[in-house]
Amino acid sequence: MATFLVRRSIGAILVCIAVTFVVFLIFIVVPGGDPAQRIAGKNATPQNIINIRHSWGFDQPFYTQYWVMLKKMFGGNLVSYTSQQNVLTQIVQGMPATFSLTIGASIIWLFFGILVGVLSAITAGRLSDRVITVLALIGISMPVFWLGIITRYYLAEGGLVTWFPDGEYVGITQSPVQWLSHMILPWLVLAVLFIGFYGRVLRGNILDTINEDYVRTAKSKGLTPRRILVKHVLRTSLIPIVTLFGLDFAAVLGGGAILTETVFDLHGVGQYAELSINNFDLPPIMGVTMYGAFFIVVFSMIVDLFYAYLDPRIRPT
Amino acid sequence: MAQQAGETEFTLDTAAELASDEPASTIRGRSPWYLAWHRLRRNYVAFAFLVLFVVVLAACALAPVYASQVAHSGPNANHVLETVKVNGHEVSVVSAGGYIDKKTGKPCTVSGTGCELFSAIPIGPTWFSAGGKFVLGADANGRDVAVRLLYGGRSSLVVGIGSTAICVFFAVILALLSGYFGGWIDFVITRFFDLFYAFPVVLLGIALGSALAINGFHHFGINIESGSLWIPTLVISYVLVPYVGRPLRGQVLSLREKEFVEAAISQGASPMRVMFSELLPNITSSLLVFFTLIIANNIVLEAALSFLGAGVQPPTASWGTLIADGQNLIVTRPWLALAPGIAIVLTVLSLNVFGDGLRDALDPRAKIKIEH
Amino acid sequence: MEPGGALMAERLLEVEDLSVHFATVDGTVKAVDGVSFELERGKVLGIVGESGSGKSVTAMTLMGLTRDVNAHFGGEVRYKGRNLLELSESEMQGYRGNEIGMIFQDPMTSLNPVYRIGEQIVEAIQAHDKVDKRVAKRRAVELLKQVGIPNPESRVDDFPHQFSGGMRQRAMIAMALSCNPDVLIADEPTTALDVTIQAQIIELIGRLKDDFNSAVIMITHDLGVVAEIADEIIVMYAGRVVEQAEKRDLFYDPQMPYTWGLLGSIPRLDRPKPERLHSIKGAPPSVINAPAGCKFRPRCPHAFEKCVDEPALENRVEKPGHLDRCWLDVEVKRALRDATISGDTQEAA
């Protein structure tokens, strides 16, 4: 187990290094034109651009440029030239909102995703399965930002009712009740897509597993249907869901919920990136991309470890 | 979907044997494709949604006809200062703004709580009472929303289908190379997939989209100007390659071990021949399903990127930018945001349902599903 | 049960006119059609047929594993006098594993990969006996020892993927016998195993039948498998029983041309070496649109006019209890048969 852990950690570090190189390529090398001008943002003066060209080493060979970028990112010196704000500080400021959104929504989507998947699988072919399937497909087909805009307008802004507060994030330490009431709608909106998706995946997994020989064996032992479902069918059907969940959780934590955060004005990490897009202010987007990749790398490592625990066939001996 | 719903999974593999043991005479001449088509034909729901998708496609293709013959306007034509006859009354396309009650959407007499200042209020949906003009109303720039909706659909569908085609093309090539040759080629390709799995899809799309939106792309003799539809198309296809490539590689890898591939190789078939005449035909059914579902996914992704400003660039319309435009006016003119959203949901839903039916039809396991 | 039974063997299972039909989109599948047999304690019944002959469906119906909204049952399956077909699903659970145990074809997939071997046996024990885990586990170790697993005390904590194919099948047998069932159904128990392991497993099943004082139904497509162990053999074709006899009679005086085919496809050392092994031409018939008359007629080299009517399953030879469904005259048939099976005049036949 220890060697597995060490090997996996080294792999994760290598991926992180590769990720920084990809970020370098995306922002500095691939796009056309002068990188200094791009980094400087929309309303830069010529003097700004000259300064940036110098401080980022754009007049130097590319490996120096890469090294400078790494130093800026990991030294916490990445600065937005449009707003003159430190990117790391801004990301840290956005984390409470992003974490609140992710943790709450993921609990909802995991719980209802499993519920929906199990319900439609055990009633496969009957009316409830059909209704669930239709609802799940509609859920998957709705763009999350549109659902957010519409629900915010009709349920929070008074288009129909005002059951929920109108956007914004309130810190949990400031007022737990306000925090909760501000988060409920974003949680539900973000969870809808995942519930539909997880429900579909789990339904398929369960129906595949039910046809496995070992489920027939379990039945031939005289086990109760409930025990067969829980111990033999669900246990194996949920393994792929664990992988999905780990990676989705990480992606949302890493700023992947940019749309939900934006629509509900939560001022999370994702929205920080979104606000920068309109000004074509690249350093924040670089920072957030890196931050998101970091979470995914870490979580995919955790998922692998957990996976090995769940499936003895790939457990290292 | 409904066909699948109408059936119970029949759990005995022996019965599967039974069902497959038909006399040799009737088995002859039935290719898997024929059987799949036979199953798909019975799935009326999937077909109905396919028709819906074709209708959306046709409507968007006919956008110029609608614009010139019905709405007498263009996608970017500005009518801010004009008036239009609605039921015989002259109405300004864009009225002067003022304070609007956020709850009722009616003008406030006094500014105060619940009221917000709007600089301009466009005309709402006329529902054909203005002779086909402004059927869904106008936006803040006085542009006909119905026209923009159809033109926006063109952008969204072009980007969605185009990016899917490019993405699937490269994913197939990479999967075939990786699965057939194995070794270091496989190592490099899978590492490439892993690397891009490490980015949240939307963030990577935004990073690429916004970085390229400023100056465009000018490398390897390819010149793409900023504002081109090629940018979102390529960004989306690039971002999704690993998500299509990885499962396909798994399939190729397992096919690679099959006897018919061994046989072809031992008969001296070249790698190209094995990859394209032995392996490719065997992943075609998955490709078809992938293709349908990835188009659906890419339409949503395009909308998301455009909504955030990292996809289709204004003034070009797309369903994503239309929702962004509509968001600002949702209190007074909710249809501006509702209409493009509904268009996306219908299009994507039709693809998802059809894709689902297609998968059921192509999945050999579906053969032993039994109807009540 | 018949009176005065001290000497009479105990009849555990009586299957009478059993039919299992499945409704499918393509029509009704008559998987099993009018099958009858009896099983006594201590005996081994072999059910032989090609895939699709209905042998597995018969076996699984005895266990109540074919129950489904689309399945329709006819006839009776009486276990110790109770008709299992009339039991509710929860009553049937009390019989599965406890009264009738079953082992399956592929030991690679029949064990749950995520649980330890011991856990799976303990689960089977606890499904019927309210004993605590330690006692159940001790019994699991004992069972693994009985089926010939070396070091059962440590192997009991292994996962299935750590066992070889033969060992997994032994573990399956241990699991099936864990609640001391009176009937053990073995559905192609050796098909997925190496030839050398096959004989060991058959031998093991025969020995355990005596140790546990139970009866065995052995289902196979290979007459060679039941040659050693079976007392009585049923040959099935297209959901029907086409021949039924004591093992000796079936091997030495087979009446159905179909049975000859099955026998002819076994290589034998005690007969002159044929040019090639005999094979039955054609494919098994559709169970949806089965041919009228004798089901084997389309593939039978000796079919004649009379075969358009299906013959009844009845005794046509000197030996009572030897039943078959063939119109051919017994003497004519024997002559044709000897030519066919010995192989050298096969083309002439």
Side-chain angles (χ1 to χ4, degrees), chain C residues 46-50 53 55 223 233-245 250 254 256 258-260 262 313 323 325:
Chain C
I47 302 182
V48 185
E50 289 170 289
S53 62
K55 58 191 194 305
L223 267 173
I233 293 175
I234 287 175
V235 179
M236 283 188 73
Y237 188 80
R240 303 279 239 169
V241 175
V242 291
E243 186 159 7
Q244 178 168 7
L250 193 95
M256 275 294 287
Y258 177 66
T259 314
W260 311 346
L262 289 179
L313 183 69
L323 314 177
R325 285 183 195 269

PDB file of all heavy atoms in Angstrom, chain C residues 46-50 53 55 223 233-245 250 254 256 258-260 262 313 323 325:
ATOM      1  N   GLY C  46     -29.064 -37.332 -14.762  1.00  0.00           N
ATOM      2  CA  GLY C  46     -28.378 -36.499 -15.747  1.00  0.00           C
ATOM      3  C   GLY C  46     -29.375 -35.934 -16.737  1.00  0.00           C
ATOM      4  O   GLY C  46     -30.225 -36.660 -17.242  1.00  0.00           O
ATOM      5  N   ILE C  47     -29.312 -34.651 -17.017  1.00  0.00           N
ATOM      6  CA  ILE C  47     -30.143 -34.054 -18.072  1.00  0.00           C
ATOM      7  C   ILE C  47     -29.189 -33.569 -19.152  1.00  0.00           C
ATOM      8  O   ILE C  47     -28.307 -32.744 -18.892  1.00  0.00           O
ATOM      9  CB  ILE C  47     -31.002 -32.898 -17.548  1.00  0.00           C
ATOM     10  CG1 ILE C  47     -31.912 -33.380 -16.416  1.00  0.00           C
ATOM     11  CG2 ILE C  47     -31.834 -32.310 -18.680  1.00  0.00           C
ATOM     12  CD1 ILE C  47     -32.836 -32.314 -15.872  1.00  0.00           C
ATOM     13  N   VAL C  48     -29.355 -34.127 -20.357  1.00  0.00           N
ATOM     14  CA  VAL C  48     -28.399 -33.880 -21.428  1.00  0.00           C
ATOM     15  C   VAL C  48     -29.097 -33.221 -22.612  1.00  0.00           C
ATOM     16  O   VAL C  48     -30.237 -33.563 -22.928  1.00  0.00           O
ATOM     17  CB  VAL C  48     -27.755 -35.212 -21.886  1.00  0.00           C
ATOM     18  CG1 VAL C  48     -26.662 -34.941 -22.917  1.00  0.00           C
ATOM     19  CG2 VAL C  48     -27.172 -35.953 -20.702  1.00  0.00           C
ATOM     20  N   GLY C  49     -28.428 -32.272 -23.244  1.00  0.00           N
ATOM     21  CA  GLY C  49     -28.989 -31.651 -24.443  1.00  0.00           C
ATOM     22  C   GLY C  49     -28.082 -30.534 -24.926  1.00  0.00           C
ATOM     23  O   GLY C  49     -27.154 -30.129 -24.235  1.00  0.00           O
ATOM     24  N   GLU C  50     -28.371 -30.062 -26.143  1.00  0.00           N
ATOM     25  CA  GLU C  50     -27.610 -28.944 -26.677  1.00  0.00           C
ATOM     26  C   GLU C  50     -28.026 -27.660 -25.976  1.00  0.00           C
ATOM     27  O   GLU C  50     -29.011 -27.629 -25.244  1.00  0.00           O
ATOM     28  CB  GLU C  50     -27.916 -28.779 -28.177  1.00  0.00           C
ATOM     29  CG  GLU C  50     -27.357 -29.858 -29.048  1.00  0.00           C
ATOM     30  CD  GLU C  50     -27.922 -29.744 -30.455  1.00  0.00           C
ATOM     31  OE1 GLU C  50     -29.108 -30.023 -30.650  1.00  0.00           O
ATOM     32  OE2 GLU C  50     -27.156 -29.380 -31.335  1.00  0.00           O
ATOM     33  N   SER C  53     -31.869 -26.441 -25.441  1.00  0.00           N
ATOM     34  CA  SER C  53     -32.777 -27.583 -25.363  1.00  0.00           C
ATOM     35  C   SER C  53     -33.744 -27.455 -24.190  1.00  0.00           C
ATOM     36  O   SER C  53     -34.688 -28.220 -24.080  1.00  0.00           O
ATOM     37  CB  SER C  53     -31.971 -28.867 -25.223  1.00  0.00           C
ATOM     38  OG  SER C  53     -31.219 -28.833 -24.028  1.00  0.00           O
ATOM     39  N   LYS C  55     -32.715 -27.477 -20.933  1.00  0.00           N
ATOM     40  CA  LYS C  55     -32.233 -28.164 -19.735  1.00  0.00           C
ATOM     41  C   LYS C  55     -31.924 -27.198 -18.599  1.00  0.00           C
ATOM     42  O   LYS C  55     -32.266 -27.443 -17.451  1.00  0.00           O
ATOM     43  CB  LYS C  55     -31.005 -29.029 -20.065  1.00  0.00           C
ATOM     44  CG  LYS C  55     -29.847 -28.271 -20.668  1.00  0.00           C
ATOM     45  CD  LYS C  55     -28.807 -29.237 -21.192  1.00  0.00           C
ATOM     46  CE  LYS C  55     -27.473 -28.561 -21.492  1.00  0.00           C
ATOM     47  NZ  LYS C  55     -27.545 -27.415 -22.412  1.00  0.00           N
ATOM     48  N   LEU C 223     -22.401 -36.051 -22.840  1.00  0.00           N
ATOM     49  CA  LEU C 223     -22.771 -37.333 -22.232  1.00  0.00           C
ATOM     50  C   LEU C 223     -21.607 -37.944 -21.458  1.00  0.00           C
ATOM     51  O   LEU C 223     -21.804 -38.674 -20.493  1.00  0.00           O
ATOM     52  CB  LEU C 223     -23.224 -38.314 -23.323  1.00  0.00           C
ATOM     53  CG  LEU C 223     -24.716 -38.343 -23.603  1.00  0.00           C
ATOM     54  CD1 LEU C 223     -25.009 -39.207 -24.806  1.00  0.00           C
ATOM     55  CD2 LEU C 223     -25.498 -38.825 -22.402  1.00  0.00           C
ATOM     56  N   ILE C 233     -30.713 -41.052 -17.070  1.00  0.00           N
ATOM     57  CA  ILE C 233     -30.392 -39.925 -17.948  1.00  0.00           C
ATOM     58  C   ILE C 233     -31.626 -39.518 -18.752  1.00  0.00           C
ATOM     59  O   ILE C 233     -32.377 -40.372 -19.242  1.00  0.00           O
ATOM     60  CB  ILE C 233     -29.233 -40.276 -18.902  1.00  0.00           C
ATOM     61  CG1 ILE C 233     -27.948 -40.469 -18.089  1.00  0.00           C
ATOM     62  CG2 ILE C 233     -29.026 -39.175 -19.953  1.00  0.00           C
ATOM     63  CD1 ILE C 233     -26.766 -40.931 -18.901  1.00  0.00           C
ATOM     64  N   ILE C 234     -31.825 -38.205 -18.842  1.00  0.00           N
ATOM     65  CA  ILE C 234     -32.888 -37.655 -19.673  1.00  0.00           C
ATOM     66  C   ILE C 234     -32.223 -36.897 -20.807  1.00  0.00           C
ATOM     67  O   ILE C 234     -31.295 -36.121 -20.561  1.00  0.00           O
ATOM     68  CB  ILE C 234     -33.757 -36.668 -18.861  1.00  0.00           C
ATOM     69  CG1 ILE C 234     -34.630 -37.433 -17.872  1.00  0.00           C
ATOM     70  CG2 ILE C 234     -34.592 -35.810 -19.771  1.00  0.00           C
ATOM     71  CD1 ILE C 234     -35.409 -36.517 -16.970  1.00  0.00           C
ATOM     72  N   VAL C 235     -32.661 -37.151 -22.042  1.00  0.00           N
ATOM     73  CA  VAL C 235     -32.135 -36.388 -23.167  1.00  0.00           C
ATOM     74  C   VAL C 235     -33.204 -35.392 -23.594  1.00  0.00           C
ATOM     75  O   VAL C 235     -34.353 -35.769 -23.836  1.00  0.00           O
ATOM     76  CB  VAL C 235     -31.767 -37.313 -24.348  1.00  0.00           C
ATOM     77  CG1 VAL C 235     -31.253 -36.483 -25.524  1.00  0.00           C
ATOM     78  CG2 VAL C 235     -30.716 -38.317 -23.921  1.00  0.00           C
ATOM     79  N   MET C 236     -32.827 -34.121 -23.634  1.00  0.00           N
ATOM     80  CA  MET C 236     -33.815 -33.096 -24.005  1.00  0.00           C
ATOM     81  C   MET C 236     -33.485 -32.514 -25.362  1.00  0.00           C
ATOM     82  O   MET C 236     -32.317 -32.391 -25.747  1.00  0.00           O
ATOM     83  CB  MET C 236     -33.843 -31.977 -22.960  1.00  0.00           C
ATOM     84  CG  MET C 236     -34.587 -32.371 -21.705  1.00  0.00           C
ATOM     85  SD  MET C 236     -34.806 -30.985 -20.569  1.00  0.00           S
ATOM     86  CE  MET C 236     -36.053 -30.020 -21.407  1.00  0.00           C
ATOM     87  N   TYR C 237     -34.542 -32.155 -26.091  1.00  0.00           N
ATOM     88  CA  TYR C 237     -34.365 -31.517 -27.395  1.00  0.00           C
ATOM     89  C   TYR C 237     -35.520 -30.545 -27.616  1.00  0.00           C
ATOM     90  O   TYR C 237     -36.681 -30.941 -27.521  1.00  0.00           O
ATOM     91  CB  TYR C 237     -34.332 -32.574 -28.508  1.00  0.00           C
ATOM     92  CG  TYR C 237     -33.945 -31.972 -29.841  1.00  0.00           C
ATOM     93  CD1 TYR C 237     -32.619 -31.722 -30.141  1.00  0.00           C
ATOM     94  CD2 TYR C 237     -34.913 -31.642 -30.779  1.00  0.00           C
ATOM     95  CE1 TYR C 237     -32.258 -31.152 -31.334  1.00  0.00           C
ATOM     96  CE2 TYR C 237     -34.558 -31.062 -31.981  1.00  0.00           C
ATOM     97  CZ  TYR C 237     -33.226 -30.818 -32.262  1.00  0.00           C
ATOM     98  OH  TYR C 237     -32.869 -30.240 -33.443  1.00  0.00           O
ATOM     99  N   ALA C 238     -35.202 -29.307 -27.888  1.00  0.00           N
ATOM    100  CA  ALA C 238     -36.207 -28.274 -28.161  1.00  0.00           C
ATOM    101  C   ALA C 238     -37.294 -28.214 -27.094  1.00  0.00           C
ATOM    102  O   ALA C 238     -38.479 -28.125 -27.399  1.00  0.00           O
ATOM    103  CB  ALA C 238     -36.826 -28.486 -29.547  1.00  0.00           C
ATOM    104  N   GLY C 239     -36.882 -28.282 -25.855  1.00  0.00           N
ATOM    105  CA  GLY C 239     -37.828 -28.139 -24.760  1.00  0.00           C
ATOM    106  C   GLY C 239     -38.572 -29.409 -24.398  1.00  0.00           C
ATOM    107  O   GLY C 239     -39.386 -29.419 -23.474  1.00  0.00           O
ATOM    108  N   ARG C 240     -38.322 -30.499 -25.133  1.00  0.00           N
ATOM    109  CA  ARG C 240     -39.030 -31.758 -24.909  1.00  0.00           C
ATOM    110  C   ARG C 240     -38.060 -32.816 -24.414  1.00  0.00           C
ATOM    111  O   ARG C 240     -36.888 -32.817 -24.788  1.00  0.00           O
ATOM    112  CB  ARG C 240     -39.598 -32.284 -26.237  1.00  0.00           C
ATOM    113  CG  ARG C 240     -40.517 -31.330 -26.943  1.00  0.00           C
ATOM    114  CD  ARG C 240     -41.811 -31.357 -26.419  1.00  0.00           C
ATOM    115  NE  ARG C 240     -42.916 -31.697 -27.253  1.00  0.00           N
ATOM    116  CZ  ARG C 240     -44.103 -31.928 -26.696  1.00  0.00           C
ATOM    117  NH1 ARG C 240     -44.236 -31.957 -25.395  1.00  0.00           N
ATOM    118  NH2 ARG C 240     -45.148 -32.152 -27.447  1.00  0.00           N
ATOM    119  N   VAL C 241     -38.576 -33.779 -23.631  1.00  0.00           N
ATOM    120  CA  VAL C 241     -37.785 -34.963 -23.331  1.00  0.00           C
ATOM    121  C   VAL C 241     -37.933 -35.897 -24.528  1.00  0.00           C
ATOM    122  O   VAL C 241     -39.042 -36.223 -24.930  1.00  0.00           O
ATOM    123  CB  VAL C 241     -38.293 -35.660 -22.061  1.00  0.00           C
ATOM    124  CG1 VAL C 241     -37.528 -36.971 -21.838  1.00  0.00           C
ATOM    125  CG2 VAL C 241     -38.142 -34.756 -20.862  1.00  0.00           C
ATOM    126  N   VAL C 242     -36.812 -36.312 -25.144  1.00  0.00           N
ATOM    127  CA  VAL C 242     -36.919 -37.201 -26.302  1.00  0.00           C
ATOM    128  C   VAL C 242     -36.499 -38.629 -25.959  1.00  0.00           C
ATOM    129  O   VAL C 242     -36.855 -39.563 -26.665  1.00  0.00           O
ATOM    130  CB  VAL C 242     -36.118 -36.690 -27.518  1.00  0.00           C
ATOM    131  CG1 VAL C 242     -36.749 -35.439 -28.092  1.00  0.00           C
ATOM    132  CG2 VAL C 242     -34.674 -36.458 -27.165  1.00  0.00           C
ATOM    133  N   GLU C 243     -35.737 -38.775 -24.899  1.00  0.00           N
ATOM    134  CA  GLU C 243     -35.398 -40.134 -24.476  1.00  0.00           C
ATOM    135  C   GLU C 243     -35.075 -40.110 -22.993  1.00  0.00           C
ATOM    136  O   GLU C 243     -34.510 -39.151 -22.481  1.00  0.00           O
ATOM    137  CB  GLU C 243     -34.197 -40.683 -25.270  1.00  0.00           C
ATOM    138  CG  GLU C 243     -33.912 -42.149 -24.942  1.00  0.00           C
ATOM    139  CD  GLU C 243     -33.104 -42.857 -26.017  1.00  0.00           C
ATOM    140  OE1 GLU C 243     -32.652 -42.181 -26.960  1.00  0.00           O
ATOM    141  OE2 GLU C 243     -32.925 -44.078 -25.896  1.00  0.00           O
ATOM    142  N   GLN C 244     -35.472 -41.200 -22.322  1.00  0.00           N
ATOM    143  CA  GLN C 244     -35.274 -41.250 -20.878  1.00  0.00           C
ATOM    144  C   GLN C 244     -35.000 -42.696 -20.518  1.00  0.00           C
ATOM    145  O   GLN C 244     -35.774 -43.579 -20.872  1.00  0.00           O
ATOM    146  CB  GLN C 244     -36.543 -40.743 -20.178  1.00  0.00           C
ATOM    147  CG  GLN C 244     -36.492 -40.796 -18.680  1.00  0.00           C
ATOM    148  CD  GLN C 244     -37.645 -40.025 -18.051  1.00  0.00           C
ATOM    149  OE1 GLN C 244     -38.552 -39.557 -18.748  1.00  0.00           O
ATOM    150  NE2 GLN C 244     -37.633 -39.906 -16.748  1.00  0.00           N
ATOM    151  N   ALA C 245     -33.865 -42.967 -19.840  1.00  0.00           N
ATOM    152  CA  ALA C 245     -33.523 -44.358 -19.532  1.00  0.00           C
ATOM    153  C   ALA C 245     -32.501 -44.423 -18.418  1.00  0.00           C
ATOM    154  O   ALA C 245     -31.867 -43.432 -18.074  1.00  0.00           O
ATOM    155  CB  ALA C 245     -32.958 -45.045 -20.775  1.00  0.00           C
ATOM    156  N   LEU C 250     -29.270 -46.350 -21.851  1.00  0.00           N
ATOM    157  CA  LEU C 250     -29.109 -45.238 -22.777  1.00  0.00           C
ATOM    158  C   LEU C 250     -27.806 -45.363 -23.561  1.00  0.00           C
ATOM    159  O   LEU C 250     -27.742 -45.067 -24.744  1.00  0.00           O
ATOM    160  CB  LEU C 250     -29.123 -43.909 -22.024  1.00  0.00           C
ATOM    161  CG  LEU C 250     -29.276 -42.738 -22.992  1.00  0.00           C
ATOM    162  CD1 LEU C 250     -30.729 -42.332 -23.116  1.00  0.00           C
ATOM    163  CD2 LEU C 250     -28.423 -41.556 -22.595  1.00  0.00           C
ATOM    164  N   PRO C 254     -29.419 -46.895 -27.231  1.00  0.00           N
ATOM    165  CA  PRO C 254     -30.086 -45.596 -27.419  1.00  0.00           C
ATOM    166  C   PRO C 254     -31.113 -45.681 -28.549  1.00  0.00           C
ATOM    167  O   PRO C 254     -30.840 -46.300 -29.581  1.00  0.00           O
ATOM    168  CB  PRO C 254     -28.942 -44.658 -27.780  1.00  0.00           C
ATOM    169  CG  PRO C 254     -27.882 -45.534 -28.353  1.00  0.00           C
ATOM    170  CD  PRO C 254     -28.004 -46.856 -27.657  1.00  0.00           C
ATOM    171  N   MET C 256     -33.201 -42.830 -29.748  1.00  0.00           N
ATOM    172  CA  MET C 256     -33.410 -41.662 -30.605  1.00  0.00           C
ATOM    173  C   MET C 256     -32.185 -41.417 -31.489  1.00  0.00           C
ATOM    174  O   MET C 256     -31.062 -41.399 -30.995  1.00  0.00           O
ATOM    175  CB  MET C 256     -33.609 -40.409 -29.743  1.00  0.00           C
ATOM    176  CG  MET C 256     -34.995 -40.164 -29.255  1.00  0.00           C
ATOM    177  SD  MET C 256     -36.128 -39.803 -30.608  1.00  0.00           S
ATOM    178  CE  MET C 256     -35.640 -38.143 -31.086  1.00  0.00           C
ATOM    179  N   TYR C 258     -31.214 -38.714 -32.339  1.00  0.00           N
ATOM    180  CA  TYR C 258     -30.550 -37.569 -31.718  1.00  0.00           C
ATOM    181  C   TYR C 258     -29.543 -38.033 -30.667  1.00  0.00           C
ATOM    182  O   TYR C 258     -28.425 -37.541 -30.581  1.00  0.00           O
ATOM    183  CB  TYR C 258     -31.595 -36.630 -31.097  1.00  0.00           C
ATOM    184  CG  TYR C 258     -30.984 -35.459 -30.382  1.00  0.00           C
ATOM    185  CD1 TYR C 258     -30.269 -34.487 -31.080  1.00  0.00           C
ATOM    186  CD2 TYR C 258     -31.104 -35.316 -28.998  1.00  0.00           C
ATOM    187  CE1 TYR C 258     -29.693 -33.421 -30.432  1.00  0.00           C
ATOM    188  CE2 TYR C 258     -30.530 -34.245 -28.338  1.00  0.00           C
ATOM    189  CZ  TYR C 258     -29.827 -33.300 -29.062  1.00  0.00           C
ATOM    190  OH  TYR C 258     -29.253 -32.248 -28.415  1.00  0.00           O
ATOM    191  N   THR C 259     -29.953 -39.003 -29.858  1.00  0.00           N
ATOM    192  CA  THR C 259     -29.044 -39.541 -28.835  1.00  0.00           C
ATOM    193  C   THR C 259     -27.824 -40.180 -29.485  1.00  0.00           C
ATOM    194  O   THR C 259     -26.715 -40.062 -28.971  1.00  0.00           O
ATOM    195  CB  THR C 259     -29.792 -40.567 -27.964  1.00  0.00           C
ATOM    196  OG1 THR C 259     -31.052 -40.023 -27.596  1.00  0.00           O
ATOM    197  CG2 THR C 259     -29.002 -40.909 -26.722  1.00  0.00           C
ATOM    198  N   TRP C 260     -28.045 -40.850 -30.614  1.00  0.00           N
ATOM    199  CA  TRP C 260     -26.896 -41.451 -31.318  1.00  0.00           C
ATOM    200  C   TRP C 260     -25.892 -40.373 -31.662  1.00  0.00           C
ATOM    201  O   TRP C 260     -24.687 -40.559 -31.550  1.00  0.00           O
ATOM    202  CB  TRP C 260     -27.292 -42.139 -32.642  1.00  0.00           C
ATOM    203  CG  TRP C 260     -28.448 -43.059 -32.553  1.00  0.00           C
ATOM    204  CD1 TRP C 260     -29.008 -43.564 -31.419  1.00  0.00           C
ATOM    205  CD2 TRP C 260     -29.184 -43.583 -33.647  1.00  0.00           C
ATOM    206  NE1 TRP C 260     -30.056 -44.375 -31.739  1.00  0.00           N
ATOM    207  CE2 TRP C 260     -30.191 -44.408 -33.097  1.00  0.00           C
ATOM    208  CE3 TRP C 260     -29.088 -43.442 -35.031  1.00  0.00           C
ATOM    209  CZ2 TRP C 260     -31.110 -45.075 -33.904  1.00  0.00           C
ATOM    210  CZ3 TRP C 260     -29.988 -44.118 -35.823  1.00  0.00           C
ATOM    211  CH2 TRP C 260     -31.006 -44.922 -35.256  1.00  0.00           C
ATOM    212  N   LEU C 262     -25.421 -37.550 -30.134  1.00  0.00           N
ATOM    213  CA  LEU C 262     -24.693 -37.134 -28.933  1.00  0.00           C
ATOM    214  C   LEU C 262     -23.627 -38.159 -28.581  1.00  0.00           C
ATOM    215  O   LEU C 262     -22.497 -37.817 -28.245  1.00  0.00           O
ATOM    216  CB  LEU C 262     -25.665 -36.983 -27.749  1.00  0.00           C
ATOM    217  CG  LEU C 262     -26.632 -35.806 -27.802  1.00  0.00           C
ATOM    218  CD1 LEU C 262     -27.531 -35.824 -26.571  1.00  0.00           C
ATOM    219  CD2 LEU C 262     -25.888 -34.481 -27.871  1.00  0.00           C
ATOM    220  N   LEU C 313     -43.957 -39.854 -25.841  1.00  0.00           N
ATOM    221  CA  LEU C 313     -42.822 -40.380 -25.091  1.00  0.00           C
ATOM    222  C   LEU C 313     -43.292 -41.657 -24.416  1.00  0.00           C
ATOM    223  O   LEU C 313     -44.047 -41.625 -23.447  1.00  0.00           O
ATOM    224  CB  LEU C 313     -42.363 -39.359 -24.040  1.00  0.00           C
ATOM    225  CG  LEU C 313     -41.128 -39.750 -23.225  1.00  0.00           C
ATOM    226  CD1 LEU C 313     -39.883 -39.758 -24.087  1.00  0.00           C
ATOM    227  CD2 LEU C 313     -40.949 -38.801 -22.051  1.00  0.00           C
ATOM    228  N   LEU C 323     -37.891 -44.843 -22.130  1.00  0.00           N
ATOM    229  CA  LEU C 323     -38.874 -44.147 -22.962  1.00  0.00           C
ATOM    230  C   LEU C 323     -38.193 -43.409 -24.095  1.00  0.00           C
ATOM    231  O   LEU C 323     -37.056 -42.944 -23.956  1.00  0.00           O
ATOM    232  CB  LEU C 323     -39.640 -43.125 -22.116  1.00  0.00           C
ATOM    233  CG  LEU C 323     -40.140 -43.602 -20.748  1.00  0.00           C
ATOM    234  CD1 LEU C 323     -40.818 -42.460 -20.013  1.00  0.00           C
ATOM    235  CD2 LEU C 323     -41.092 -44.778 -20.892  1.00  0.00           C
ATOM    236  N   ARG C 325     -39.064 -41.042 -28.095  1.00  0.00           N
ATOM    237  CA  ARG C 325     -40.011 -40.447 -29.048  1.00  0.00           C
ATOM    238  C   ARG C 325     -39.486 -40.707 -30.450  1.00  0.00           C
ATOM    239  O   ARG C 325     -38.949 -39.804 -31.087  1.00  0.00           O
ATOM    240  CB  ARG C 325     -40.086 -38.941 -28.856  1.00  0.00           C
ATOM    241  CG  ARG C 325     -40.839 -38.448 -27.658  1.00  0.00           C
ATOM    242  CD  ARG C 325     -40.851 -36.917 -27.694  1.00  0.00           C
ATOM    243  NE  ARG C 325     -41.253 -36.349 -26.421  1.00  0.00           N
ATOM    244  CZ  ARG C 325     -42.521 -36.053 -26.109  1.00  0.00           C
ATOM    245  NH1 ARG C 325     -43.490 -36.292 -26.965  1.00  0.00           N
ATOM    246  NH2 ARG C 325     -42.796 -35.516 -24.948  1.00  0.00           N
TER     247      ARG C 325
END
